[in-house]
Amino acid sequence: MVTFETDNLIYNRFDLIYKDKNIERFLYEVDNETFAIDAHYKGNRASLNIWGKLFPQRVFNQVVYDIFERHLEIDFLDIRKSGNRFGDILESQSDIRVQLPETWEQLFSRVKAKNRSTIIRKKKNLRQQYGDLKLEVYHEEVPEEAVKQYFFWKKKSHGTDYHMSPRDYIQKYFVTDTLFLKAGETDASILFICQVEKTAYLENLAYNCKLSKFSPGFLLYGMALEELIKRGCSYLYLGGGDYGYKTRFGGEVSTVYTGVIQRKDIV
């Protein structure tokens, strides 16, 4: 079976994220290699576990045709960050990941000397003005107050209102670990991770805007990378976007394709 570096990316692990188990596996043989693609069905829509995977184009085309031919109830096929195009239907996007080395020192060396000094200085200044920095790491069991603080910061910075409880947020976005940074008695920033084996995905982060001059979100991001290195993780996936921090530690940018293929597109 052909394997991909994104096999354990949370959004490719349909067995973990879909409790209804309404999943079908397609297998295709090409040049003595077997390619597996999982499909999930809900109502008149289907989706594939293909984030960051590049298949032989005929394999990708075939699974699209097979889904619509075998499942007459399906009208829409949602494609998320595929390595393959499908005609001109899908929109190109960026997908960013950090390949993690064995040590923090190796990772930190990827940052320009000037930026390394800035990070060290901001940590020092934050510590001097607010108190010792404390990183709290929670696995699955997250204090509700921490998630509520995240909601408050996101509402203030982006106008986002999740309209859900902290528990519902953790479950909906498949959060396995929460990192919460405090400076003395002051909440500084919070970051959510979805980790499956040695692959992690940064779900989201938020920070205290009152501390923005210290870049608390970026400081916590660096601490999260260090934590993942200690765990022996291989990759941290960051999604797309043009946030500068995503490429600061040697983030690799690739082009992927997202969109909806409709039944009428293949007739």
Side-chain angles (χ1 to χ4, degrees):
M1 192 80 67
V2 176
T3 61
F4 294 88
E5 292 170 342
T6 58
D7 280 340
N8 281 319
L9 181 65
I10 184 62
Y11 289 103
N12 283 337
R13 288 294 303 269
F14 282 8
D15 58 317
L16 298 179
I17 66 179
Y18 291 122
K19 304 305 180 184
D20 58 16
K21 304 300 180 184
N22 195 14
I23 301 166
E24 179 180 14
R25 171 157 291 188
F26 293 84
L27 297 174
Y28 300 98
E29 294 280 347
V30 176
D31 298 330
N32 296 319
E33 293 184 311
T34 302
F35 294 89
I37 301 176
D38 291 341
H40 175 258
Y41 305 106
K42 184 175 182 180
N44 67 343
R45 308 190 78 94
S47 57
L48 303 174
N49 68 336
I50 53 176
W51 185 316
K53 300 180 182 181
L54 178 60
F55 295 92
Q57 190 62 43
R58 56 177 164 160
V59 168
F60 185 81
N61 292 347
Q62 192 62 52
V63 74
V64 173
Y65 297 137
D66 286 347
I67 285 174
F68 285 115
E69 289 178 3
R70 297 184 191 180
H71 297 272
L72 299 182
E73 78 280 8
I74 298 299
D75 296 314
F76 305 98
L77 177 57
D78 297 310
I79 303 297
R80 190 176 188 186
K81 296 189 181 295
S82 164
N84 294 85
R85 298 172 177 266
F86 191 78
D88 58 357
I89 293 172
L90 305 178
E91 176 186 356
S92 64
Q93 296 181 333
S94 62
D95 191 32
I96 307 171
R97 73 175 186 183
V98 176
Q99 186 169 359
L100 300 172
E102 294 183 354
T103 68
W104 164 253
E105 289 74 20
Q106 290 173 319
L107 186 71
F108 201 43
S109 69
R110 297 177 184 173
V111 182
K112 294 180 180 179
K114 180 180 178 180
N115 292 330
R116 291 200 298 268
S117 298
T118 299
I119 293 170
I120 294 170
R121 185 184 73 252
K122 287 188 174 184
K123 273 188 177 181
K124 178 181 178 181
N125 291 344
L126 180 58
R127 185 181 301 110
Q128 288 178 340
Q129 294 190 38
Y130 286 89
D132 288 340
L133 303 186
K134 180 183 178 183
L135 177 64
E136 298 177 353
V137 180
Y138 301 96
H139 181 66
E140 295 182 349
E141 292 298 325
V142 185
E144 285 199 3
E145 290 306 313
V147 185
K148 288 179 179 178
Q149 181 65 78
Y150 166 79
F151 287 162
F152 176 77
W153 285 337
K154 263 319 187 195
K155 182 70 178 293
K156 195 166 185 179
S157 64
H158 292 76
T160 304
D161 192 335
Y162 286 94
H163 297 291
M164 65 179 68
S165 69
R167 181 180 295 275
D168 288 342
Y169 176 88
I170 295 298
Q171 292 178 347
K172 179 176 180 179
Y173 294 102
F174 317 113
V175 174
T176 60
D177 296 88
T178 300
L179 282 69
F180 198 21
L181 177 63
K182 294 188 176 184
E185 298 301 314
T186 302
D187 296 336
S189 53
I190 188 169
L191 182 150
F192 299 115
I193 288 175
C194 315
Q195 181 183 343
V196 181
E197 296 184 17
K198 293 186 177 182
T199 302
Y201 176 76
L202 196 160
E203 166 51 38
N204 220 321
L205 64 84
Y207 62 89
N208 188 340
C209 293
K210 295 179 180 178
L211 305 180
S212 58
K213 68 178 181 179
F214 303 105
S215 303
F218 181 64
L219 295 182
L220 179 56
Y221 171 62
M223 294 177 183
L225 291 172
E226 185 172 10
E227 172 68 19
L228 292 174
I229 288 172
K230 290 177 182 177
R231 298 181 184 186
C233 288
S234 301
Y235 299 101
L236 174 63
Y237 285 84
L238 304 169
D242 56 359
Y243 296 103
Y245 78 88
K246 291 189 175 185
T247 55
R248 191 70 62 84
F249 286 94
E252 305 165 344
V253 183
S254 60
T255 299
V256 290
Y257 302 91
T258 294
V260 179
I261 302 172
Q262 301 183 45
R263 177 175 291 277
K264 66 181 180 63
D265 295 326
I266 64 167
V267 175

